């Protein structure tokens, strides 16, 4: 892989915009409001993670989130 994966979080649901983003190398996208589990699934699929990523409802991840 030459470039790092890019995931877009957007409020826009325009198919044309998402098609254009794909031409610029976007690996995937989620629209707002989004489900955290769906975002984690997308991240796993984009990076090919064989093991589960930590869930955001754990105390450790809550401390690492910006306020």
């Amino acid at each position: 892989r030459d470039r790092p994966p890019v995931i877009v979080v957007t409020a826009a649901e325009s198919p044309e915009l998402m098609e254009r983003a794909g031409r610029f190398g976007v690996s995937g996208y989620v629209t707002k409001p989004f489900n955290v589990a769906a975002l984690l699934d997308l991240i796993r699929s984009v990076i090919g993670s064989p093991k589960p990523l930590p869930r955001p409802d754990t105390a450790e991840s809550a401390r690492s989130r910006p306020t």
Side-chain angles (χ1 to χ4, degrees), residues 10-36:
T10 179
E13 291 193 54
S14 163
E16 296 84 16
L17 181 61
M18 294 305 108
E19 180 183 325
R20 188 170 147 205
R23 290 194 308 261
F24 285 107
V26 170
S27 305
Y29 70 92
V30 293
T31 55
K32 295 189 259 181
F34 62 89
N35 176 298
V36 173

Side-chain angles (χ1 to χ4, degrees), residues 39-59:
L39 176 58
L40 290 174
D41 288 343
L42 177 59
I43 292 169
R44 283 187 204 102
S45 72
V46 167
I47 65 173
S49 176
K51 59 183 177 181
L53 295 172
R55 298 307 263 185
D57 55 351
T58 64

